[in-house]
Amino acid sequence: MSQTTHGLHVVAQTPFQTDGAVDRASIATLSAFYYRHGARGLTVLGVSGEAQTLTPDEAVAVASCFVAASEGRAIFAGVSSPNLAILAEIAGQVMAEGARGVMIAPAASARTDEALFSYFDAVFSRIGDVPTVLQDFPAASGVQMSVPAMAKLVALFPQIRVIKEEDLPSARKVAALRKALPDHVQILTGNNGLYLPQELARGADGPMAGFSYPEMLSGVDKLMREDGNVAGAHALFNRYLPLLKHEAQGALGIALRKESMRRRGALATATMRAAGGTLDDADIAELDSIVAHMDLPT
Amino acid sequence: MSQTTHGLHVVAQTPFQTDGAVDRASIATLSAFYYRHGARGLTVLGVSGEAQTLTPDEAVAVASCFVAASEGRAIFAGVSSPNLAILAEIAGQVMAEGARGVMIAPAASARTDEALFSYFDAVFSRIGDVPTVLQDFPAASGVQMSVPAMAKLVALFPQIRVIKEEDLPSARKVAALRKALPDHVQILTGNNGLYLPQELARGADGPMAGFSYPEMLSGVDKLMREDGNVAGAHALFNRYLPLLKHEAQGALGIALRKESMRRRGALATATMRAAGGTLDDADIAELDSIVAHMDLPT
Amino acid sequence: MSQTTHGLHVVAQTPFQTDGAVDRASIATLSAFYYRHGARGLTVLGVSGEAQTLTPDEAVAVASCFVAASEGRAIFAGVSSPNLAILAEIAGQVMAEGARGVMIAPAASARTDEALFSYFDAVFSRIGDVPTVLQDFPAASGVQMSVPAMAKLVALFPQIRVIKEEDLPSARKVAALRKALPDHVQILTGNNGLYLPQELARGADGPMAGFSYPEMLSGVDKLMREDGNVAGAHALFNRYLPLLKHEAQGALGIALRKESMRRRGALATATMRAAGGTLDDADIAELDSIVAHMDLPT
Amino acid sequence: MSQTTHGLHVVAQTPFQTDGAVDRASIATLSAFYYRHGARGLTVLGVSGEAQTLTPDEAVAVASCFVAASEGRAIFAGVSSPNLAILAEIAGQVMAEGARGVMIAPAASARTDEALFSYFDAVFSRIGDVPTVLQDFPAASGVQMSVPAMAKLVALFPQIRVIKEEDLPSARKVAALRKALPDHVQILTGNNGLYLPQELARGADGPMAGFSYPEMLSGVDKLMREDGNVAGAHALFNRYLPLLKHEAQGALGIALRKESMRRRGALATATMRAAGGTLDDADIAELDSIVAHMDLPT
C-alpha cells in the first residue's frame, strides 16, 4: 500500500455452488469480470460477500483465491468480528495468503471515543503493522464515529490507510473527513454507490462498493475525478440508478445482484448462503421489469 | 374512514418561521400545494413533520390547521410516543379537532409478539375507537413485526384500518401482507416512495410518503393502479429518482425537501427545528447539481 | 444549589389512587416518610417514579406537590425526553413551581462525544441556567459516556452540579469521576443502592436511590462518610441486602417497593401505572418470604 | 441426556496462564473444585468463560479438557455465534470430543417469533440431533423470547432439553415456563444465581451459574429442592449474597470471581483475556473488604 488506493474497489461477492459449497473455481471468472469493468482492486469477505456465513477456514480460502486471480491488484479482506481472537487469526492468515490489507469496523461494544481507541489499540496490538481499511458503517456495526474521533484513530494508528465511508449522510461526512484527515489517507465510499456523484464531488477517492454493472461505478469515478465531466457522470449514474437502488436492499439486494451478475456471465449460479437470499418468481419478475424499463446501453 | 383510504397521502412537512415558531399561516398554502399535486389526504406529525420537536399543544395546533385546510379530506395525525399518557392525550385532542384518525408505531419495548399485543391493547383501551394507521417502520421504531403478528393485530383491533408499510424489503412485505390481511385494510407505503412502483405492483393501495414533487407520487400511483401503464409509471418514477433518493437522507433529506418546496412556492421558509436541518453552501450546490442533471418536465 | 448536595436523596415514588389517578394528597405523607428516614432531598419524576406514564401537566403537578411538602429541601425533577420541546417546557414549569433543579439523561441519539456535547448545548440553550443533575445510566438511556466526556460536559455547562452515577461497574467509575471532576460537582449514586458501600468508599457523596427502607440508605451513608464506621456500614447494608436486591427488578421491583412502603404506612395504595406493576399471590408470597428470612431490626 | 438435568451446573471459568495462553493443565484442578462443591455438570464456553476471546480451535480444546476431567458428568458447551457456519463447526467438534450437548442463544437478528423459529430451524438443520440448552438471556443476546414462543420452540425442536433462564424478572418467568413447558424440559437458572431461592420456589430445577463459592449454590439447591428447608436456604443464600452480588458485575465480576477462586486454590492465576478484567489495588481492597464483612463459615 505504498501506492495510493483510489478508483473503484469492488466489494466482491462470494460464489457458491448450488449445494452451498464455496465455488472456488468461479473466483477467477468473477475477478476477471470485476477487473474488465474497471476495478483496481477488490474488498472480499464483506457483508455483501456473505462473510458471516463462512467458517474461518473458508474465509481464508476465499481470500486466497481472490489473491491468486488478482495479478497484483490490491485485495482487502474484511475481518471484523466481535471475537478479537478470530479477527486476529484470520487477519494473520489472509495477509500470509497475500492480501494487501484488511478491513475492520469497530465492535459494537465501542460505544464512546475512549472505548473506540481502546478497541483499536487491542486490535493493532494483536495484528501488528497490517494496512487497514477502517469501515465507518454505523448501520451495520452499531458504532457511530465522529470526525474528530476518526482523525484521532488515524493519528494513533498509522496502519489505517483507507476509510470506507458509509455513514449517512455520507457526502457531508466525506467533506468533513477530507478536511480533518491527512492527505495520504484515502477515502473510498460504500452504501452500494448510492451517493457516488456527491461523494466524489466532496473529495472521495473512489467507490468501494458492489453493483452488477461495475462499469457504471468505474465510469462515474473516471468522469468525475479524471475528466471533470460532471454532466456525463450524472447522466451515467442516473441511467443505472433504478437498478442500483434495487440492489441496495440488504440480503434481497445481494441476491438480485448475484442473479444479475449470473445473467452477465460473471457467476455460475446466484446461490446465496445468507438468509433472505432466495428469489421467488415475483422477485425475478420485479428485477426483469426494472431492467426492462431502464435506459441501459446496448 | 368508512370510505377506503387509497391513493397518495402525503406525509406533510411542518412549516416554521425563521425564528423557529410554528408557521400556522403557511399551512393553508402548503396544503393547497399537496392537494394540487394529487394528494387525497395527509399524514401530519410524522417524523418528517418534525413531530419530535413540537410540544403537545403545538402538535395539536398543527393538526388543527391542517384539518381546517383539508376541505374534508382525511388528515391522519402521528401520535406515537414512548409515553402512553401523552399519546392518549394528543390522540383525543387531534380527533376532537377533526382528524380522520391517528398513526401509531409500537413502542420500542414491544419486543415480542406477546408484548406487541399487550402494547396495542393498552393503547386502544386508552384511546378507544379511533381509526388508526399502524406504522410498520422498524428502522425508526426499533420494533420488527412479522406478517402473522400484524394479521393478528388487525384481527384483535378493528381500529386498525390502514398499514403504513416501510419495513425493508418493502415490496415483498406488501405482497405477504396483502395475502394475510382482510381486503378492507388498506396498505399504503412509505420509505420516501423509493420502492413505489414495486410496492404498487405487489398490491399496495398507494403511497403515504413525502417528496417535493408530489405529482410524481400521485402520477406513478395513477399510472400503475388506474391506467395499468407500467412503462409510463417507471419512466415517470425514474425521471425523478435522483432527487427522490437525495431527499431520503434523514434530517438532511427533510431539509432538502423543504428547500425544494420553498423554491416551488409551497413553503415560505425552509427552516427546520430538527437537528441536522441546516443547509450550507455545499448542500445547496449539491441540490442544484442534482436538479440540473435530472430530466424534469418543464 | 449554593449549598452542596450530599447525603441521601431519595428517588421518589409517584402515588396513585386505585383507579390510576395521581394521588396528590398522599404526597405529603410520602414526603414525611422519606424525610423521617434521613432524606435530605428528593428526585421526583424518575423512571421509578413512573414519569413515563404521566402527561406533562400531571408531571408538573406531582413536582409541585413534592415542593410544597419539602420544607425547603431540594427537589430535583427528572425531565429527560426524546422531545426537546417537551423537556424544555416541563423544565421551565417545574422550576417555576420551586424545584431546586432538573435531572437529565442524554437522548439516545447522542452516540458520540461530539453528539453528546451538541445535545446538551441544545438542551441548555433551551432551558438556560437551571441547576442540573446529569444522569449517567446507560442501561436506560442507551448512551455510554466516558469519564473524559463527562468532565468536558461539566466544564462546558456549569449548570451541571451533580452527577447521578449508575453506569456499571459504578464504584470504579465513581473513583475515576472523582479524580476527573472539580470538587464542587457532587457525585450521587443510583442503581437502587446496590453498590452503595463501595461507591461511598470510592468517593461518592451519597445515594440518590429508592428503597422501601430509606433509613438503611441514610444509615450506611452516615456510617461511611461521617462516622468512618466501615464495619457498621457493611453490617447494616448486608442486613437489608436481600430486599434491596429484590426491589432492583425493574417494574416488578417498583411494585414490590410500593407494596413494602404501603405496609409501612408511607403510601395509601401500591397502585402502579407502569406495565408489569401488578403483584399476584406468588409475588406477594415471595416478598413475605424474603422479609421473613431477613434479619431486620425490630 | 436420557437422565434429567437438574441440580447445580456451574458456568465454568476458562483458566489462562499469565501470558494469556489457555491453561489446559489447570482445567483438571478447576473441575475438581467445581465437583467437590456440588456441581453435577458444567457449562463451558459461556460469556463468563470468556468464550468470545477464544479461537474456534482453542474453544474446542477447552471443551475437550473439561470433558476429560468430567468423569462422565455432563459438559454443555456454549456455541452461540452470529456466524452460523462457525456455530455449526464448533458444535460438531465439541460433540465429537464428548460434550453432552450445546448451549445456544438466538442471534440478535431473530427479532420476531417468526424469525426466532426460522433461526432455530436453520441451526438444527445444520447441527442435527444435538441435545441443546436454550439460553434465554436478553441482556446479552438482544433477543426477547415470550413464554408462548419458547413453548413453540420446545415443541418444534425436541433437541431443546434444558432452558437456561435468565430473563428478568426471572422467578416470574420460571413459573410461567414451568406451566407452559412439558415436564421433561428442565429449567435451570442463571443471572449469577442472584435470584436462586425465588427461582427454585417457582419450579426451577437448579442453578446454571457461576460463583467462587459454588457450595452455596449447590447447598441452597439441596436445601430448597430436596430438604424443603426454606429457612435454611435463605440463611445460606443471604450469608453469601454480598459477594454473590459483587461478582455479578460483568467483566469486573468475572475478574473478582477468578481472584477469589485463585485464593481458594481452584485456579493458578486470575488472568483474564476479556477487556475490563484487570484488577487494580482499589478493586482488590474492595474485594477484601466485602469478604471481611461477610459472615462466612470458617
Side-chain angles (χ1 to χ4, degrees):
Chain A
M1 216 150 54
S2 57
Q3 61 276 63
T4 62
T5 303
H6 61 91
L8 172 61
H9 287 70
V10 171
V11 176
Q13 313 310 129
T14 299
F16 295 107
Q17 297 171 356
T18 49
D19 64 359
V22 174
D23 179 8
R24 299 189 192 187
S26 289
I27 288 179
T29 315
L30 179 61
S31 296
F33 172 84
Y34 291 140
Y35 299 131
R36 189 164 66 243
H37 291 109
R40 299 194 185 180
L42 303 180
T43 301
V44 303
L45 306 177
V47 171
S48 68
E50 300 167 70
Q52 73 286 8
T53 71
L54 304 173
T55 64
D57 288 348
E58 287 175 331
V60 173
V62 165
S64 177
C65 292
F66 275 110
V67 169
S70 69
E71 297 181 8
R73 295 182 188 85
I75 304 297
F76 297 100
V79 298
S80 301
S81 170
N83 180 319
L84 204 51
I86 294 181
L87 182 158
E89 188 169 75
I90 298 182
Q93 292 179 5
V94 296
M95 293 308 289
E97 295 290 336
R100 185 70 57 86
V102 298
M103 180 168 75
I104 304 177
S109 55
R111 289 169 61 197
T112 65
D113 288 8
E114 291 272 290
L116 193 61
F117 307 144
S118 295
Y119 178 73
F120 280 102
D121 193 55
V123 165
F124 289 115
S125 75
R126 295 291 288 272
I127 70 172
D129 190 22
V130 169
T132 296
V133 179
L134 172 64
Q135 186 181 25
D136 181 22
F137 190 24
S141 68
V143 177
Q144 195 82 35
M145 299 187 280
S146 69
V147 169
M150 292 175 73
K152 189 165 169 193
L153 278 178
V154 161
L156 287 170
F157 306 108
Q159 292 99 327
I160 300 176
R161 315 267 173 92
V162 178
I163 307 293
K164 185 183 184 206
E165 184 48 55
E166 36 195 347
D167 179 16
L168 298 175
S170 53
R172 271 186 177 179
K173 194 158 186 183
V174 165
L177 283 172
R178 192 63 288 166
K179 263 194 187 169
L181 300 184
D183 285 349
H184 70 269
V185 176
Q186 313 279 308
I187 303 173
L188 302 179
T189 60
N191 274 315
N192 296 290
L194 272 176
Y195 308 96
L196 185 57
Q198 290 75 42
E199 293 159 343
L200 294 170
R202 300 255 198 155
D205 298 297
M208 183 176 269
F211 183 38
S212 60
Y213 289 79
E215 60 267 42
M216 183 278 278
L217 300 173
S218 56
V220 168
D221 182 58
K222 181 176 180 301
L223 287 163
M224 287 288 289
R225 290 196 308 117
E226 295 178 23
D227 307 346
N229 182 351
V230 174
H234 277 262
L236 178 59
F237 180 83
N238 289 351
R239 196 177 295 148
Y240 286 88
L241 183 52
L243 182 60
L244 187 73
K245 178 213 61 158
H246 199 58
E247 287 187 11
Q249 294 193 80
L252 170 61
I254 305 307
L256 294 164
R257 183 176 303 161
K258 280 190 148 180
E259 169 62 14
S260 183
M261 289 172 69
R262 187 195 63 76
R263 295 177 179 189
R264 300 190 76 198
L267 287 170
T269 82
T271 306
M272 279 182 73
R273 275 194 186 177
T278 306
L279 301 176
D280 62 19
D281 290 349
D283 297 323
I284 293 290
E286 202 168 78
L287 175 61
D288 290 342
S289 178
I290 283 173
V291 172
H293 296 105
M294 284 197 330
D295 182 26
L296 285 190
T298 51
Chain B
M1 216 147 56
S2 56
Q3 62 276 63
T4 62
T5 302
H6 61 91
L8 172 61
H9 286 70
V10 171
V11 176
Q13 312 311 128
T14 299
F16 295 107
Q17 296 172 356
T18 50
D19 65 359
V22 174
D23 179 7
R24 299 188 193 188
S26 289
I27 288 179
T29 315
L30 179 61
S31 297
F33 172 84
Y34 290 139
Y35 299 131
R36 189 163 67 242
H37 291 108
R40 300 196 183 176
L42 303 180
T43 302
V44 303
L45 304 177
V47 171
S48 69
E50 299 167 69
Q52 73 285 6
T53 70
L54 303 174
T55 64
D57 288 348
E58 288 175 329
V60 173
V62 165
S64 176
C65 292
F66 274 110
V67 169
S70 68
E71 296 180 9
R73 295 183 189 85
I75 304 297
F76 297 99
V79 298
S80 301
S81 171
N83 181 319
L84 204 50
I86 294 181
L87 182 157
E89 189 170 74
I90 298 183
Q93 292 179 6
V94 296
M95 293 307 290
E97 296 290 337
R100 185 70 59 86
V102 298
M103 180 169 75
I104 303 178
S109 55
R111 289 170 60 197
T112 64
D113 287 8
E114 291 271 290
L116 193 62
F117 307 144
S118 295
Y119 178 72
F120 280 102
D121 193 53
V123 164
F124 289 115
S125 75
R126 295 291 288 271
I127 69 172
D129 190 22
V130 169
T132 296
V133 179
L134 173 63
Q135 186 181 26
D136 181 23
F137 190 25
S141 69
V143 177
Q144 195 82 37
M145 298 188 279
S146 69
V147 169
M150 292 175 73
K152 189 165 169 193
L153 277 179
V154 161
L156 287 171
F157 306 109
Q159 293 97 329
I160 300 176
R161 314 267 173 94
V162 178
I163 307 292
K164 184 182 185 207
E165 183 47 56
E166 36 194 348
D167 179 17
L168 297 175
S170 53
R172 272 186 176 179
K173 195 159 186 182
V174 165
L177 283 172
R178 192 62 289 164
K179 264 194 187 169
L181 300 184
D183 285 350
H184 70 268
V185 176
Q186 312 279 307
I187 303 173
L188 303 180
T189 60
N191 274 316
N192 297 289
L194 273 176
Y195 308 95
L196 185 56
Q198 290 74 44
E199 293 159 343
L200 293 170
R202 300 254 199 155
D205 298 296
M208 183 177 269
F211 183 37
S212 60
Y213 290 78
E215 60 267 42
M216 183 279 278
L217 300 172
S218 56
V220 168
D221 182 59
K222 182 176 180 301
L223 287 162
M224 288 287 290
R225 291 198 307 117
E226 295 178 23
D227 307 346
N229 181 351
V230 174
H234 277 263
L236 178 60
F237 180 83
N238 290 351
R239 196 177 296 148
Y240 285 89
L241 182 54
L243 182 59
L244 187 74
K245 179 213 59 158
H246 199 57
E247 287 186 11
Q249 294 192 80
L252 170 61
I254 306 307
L256 294 165
R257 184 176 302 160
K258 280 190 148 180
E259 168 62 12
S260 184
M261 289 172 69
R262 186 196 63 76
R263 295 176 180 190
R264 299 190 77 197
L267 286 170
T269 82
T271 305
M272 280 182 73
R273 275 194 188 177
T278 306
L279 300 176
D280 63 19
D281 289 350
D283 297 323
I284 293 290
E286 203 168 78
L287 175 61
D288 290 342
S289 178
I290 284 172
V291 173
H293 295 105
M294 284 196 332
D295 182 26
L296 285 190
T298 52
Chain C
M1 219 148 54
S2 57
Q3 63 276 62
T4 62
T5 303
H6 60 91
L8 172 61
H9 287 69
V10 171
V11 176
Q13 311 312 128
T14 299
F16 296 106
Q17 296 172 356
T18 49
D19 65 359
V22 174
D23 179 8
R24 298 189 193 188
S26 288
I27 287 179
T29 315
L30 178 62
S31 296
F33 172 84
Y34 290 139
Y35 299 130
R36 188 164 67 244
H37 291 108
R40 301 198 182 175
L42 303 179
T43 301
V44 303
L45 305 177
V47 170
S48 68
E50 300 168 69
Q52 72 287 6
T53 71
L54 303 173
T55 64
D57 287 349
E58 287 175 329
V60 172
V62 166
S64 177
C65 292
F66 275 111
V67 169
S70 69
E71 296 180 11
R73 294 182 190 85
I75 304 297
F76 297 99
V79 298
S80 301
S81 170
N83 180 320
L84 203 50
I86 294 180
L87 182 158
E89 188 170 74
I90 298 183
Q93 292 179 6
V94 295
M95 293 307 290
E97 296 290 337
R100 185 70 58 86
V102 298
M103 180 169 74
I104 303 177
S109 55
R111 291 170 60 197
T112 65
D113 287 7
E114 291 270 292
L116 193 61
F117 307 144
S118 294
Y119 178 73
F120 280 102
D121 193 55
V123 164
F124 289 115
S125 74
R126 294 291 289 271
I127 70 172
D129 190 22
V130 169
T132 296
V133 179
L134 172 64
Q135 186 181 25
D136 182 22
F137 190 23
S141 69
V143 177
Q144 195 82 36
M145 297 188 281
S146 68
V147 170
M150 292 175 73
K152 188 165 170 192
L153 277 179
V154 161
L156 287 171
F157 305 110
Q159 292 98 329
I160 301 175
R161 315 267 173 92
V162 179
I163 307 292
K164 185 181 185 207
E165 184 47 55
E166 37 195 348
D167 178 17
L168 298 175
S170 52
R172 271 186 177 180
K173 195 158 185 182
V174 164
L177 283 173
R178 192 62 290 162
K179 262 193 188 170
L181 300 184
D183 284 349
H184 70 267
V185 176
Q186 313 278 307
I187 303 173
L188 302 179
T189 60
N191 274 316
N192 297 290
L194 273 176
Y195 308 96
L196 185 57
Q198 291 74 43
E199 292 159 344
L200 293 170
R202 300 253 198 157
D205 298 295
M208 183 176 270
F211 183 38
S212 60
Y213 291 78
E215 60 268 41
M216 184 279 278
L217 299 173
S218 56
V220 168
D221 182 59
K222 180 176 180 303
L223 287 163
M224 287 287 290
R225 290 196 308 117
E226 295 178 23
D227 307 346
N229 182 350
V230 174
H234 277 262
L236 178 59
F237 180 84
N238 290 351
R239 196 176 296 148
Y240 286 89
L241 183 54
L243 183 59
L244 186 73
K245 178 213 62 160
H246 198 57
E247 288 186 10
Q249 294 193 79
L252 170 61
I254 305 306
L256 294 164
R257 184 176 302 160
K258 281 190 147 180
E259 169 61 13
S260 184
M261 290 172 68
R262 186 195 63 76
R263 295 176 179 189
R264 301 190 77 198
L267 286 170
T269 83
T271 306
M272 281 182 72
R273 277 194 186 176
T278 306
L279 301 176
D280 63 20
D281 289 349
D283 297 323
I284 294 290
E286 202 168 78
L287 175 61
D288 290 341
S289 179
I290 283 172
V291 173
H293 296 105
M294 283 196 330
D295 182 25
L296 285 190
T298 51
Chain D
M1 219 150 50
S2 57
Q3 63 277 62
T4 62
T5 302
H6 61 91
L8 172 60
H9 287 70
V10 171
V11 177
Q13 311 312 128
T14 299
F16 295 106
Q17 297 172 355
T18 49
D19 65 358
V22 174
D23 179 8
R24 299 189 191 186
S26 288
I27 288 179
T29 315
L30 178 62
S31 296
F33 173 84
Y34 291 139
Y35 299 130
R36 188 163 66 244
H37 291 108
R40 299 196 183 175
L42 304 179
T43 302
V44 303
L45 305 177
V47 171
S48 69
E50 301 167 69
Q52 73 287 6
T53 71
L54 304 173
T55 64
D57 287 349
E58 288 175 330
V60 173
V62 166
S64 176
C65 292
F66 275 109
V67 169
S70 68
E71 295 180 10
R73 294 182 190 86
I75 304 297
F76 297 100
V79 298
S80 300
S81 170
N83 180 320
L84 204 51
I86 293 181
L87 181 158
E89 188 169 75
I90 297 182
Q93 292 178 5
V94 296
M95 293 308 290
E97 296 290 337
R100 185 70 58 86
V102 298
M103 180 169 75
I104 304 177
S109 55
R111 291 170 60 198
T112 64
D113 287 9
E114 291 271 291
L116 193 61
F117 307 143
S118 294
Y119 178 72
F120 280 102
D121 193 56
V123 164
F124 288 115
S125 74
R126 295 290 289 270
I127 70 172
D129 189 21
V130 170
T132 296
V133 179
L134 172 64
Q135 186 182 25
D136 182 22
F137 190 23
S141 68
V143 177
Q144 195 81 37
M145 297 188 281
S146 68
V147 170
M150 292 175 73
K152 188 164 170 194
L153 278 179
V154 161
L156 287 171
F157 306 108
Q159 292 98 327
I160 301 175
R161 315 267 173 91
V162 179
I163 307 291
K164 185 182 186 206
E165 183 48 56
E166 36 196 347
D167 179 16
L168 298 175
S170 52
R172 273 185 176 181
K173 195 159 186 182
V174 165
L177 284 172
R178 192 62 289 163
K179 263 194 187 169
L181 300 184
D183 283 350
H184 70 267
V185 176
Q186 312 279 308
I187 302 173
L188 302 179
T189 60
N191 275 315
N192 297 289
L194 274 176
Y195 308 96
L196 185 56
Q198 291 74 42
E199 292 159 345
L200 294 170
R202 300 253 199 157
D205 299 296
M208 184 176 269
F211 183 38
S212 61
Y213 290 78
E215 60 268 42
M216 183 279 277
L217 300 173
S218 57
V220 168
D221 181 59
K222 182 177 180 302
L223 287 162
M224 288 286 291
R225 289 196 309 118
E226 294 178 23
D227 307 346
N229 182 351
V230 174
H234 278 262
L236 178 59
F237 180 83
N238 290 350
R239 195 177 297 146
Y240 286 89
L241 183 54
L243 183 60
L244 187 73
K245 178 213 61 158
H246 198 58
E247 287 187 11
Q249 294 191 79
L252 171 62
I254 305 307
L256 294 164
R257 183 176 302 161
K258 281 191 147 180
E259 169 61 13
S260 184
M261 291 173 68
R262 187 195 62 76
R263 295 176 180 189
R264 300 189 76 198
L267 286 170
T269 81
T271 305
M272 280 182 72
R273 276 194 186 176
T278 306
L279 300 177
D280 63 20
D281 290 349
D283 296 324
I284 293 291
E286 202 168 78
L287 175 61
D288 290 342
S289 178
I290 284 173
V291 173
H293 295 106
M294 283 197 330
D295 182 26
L296 285 190
T298 52

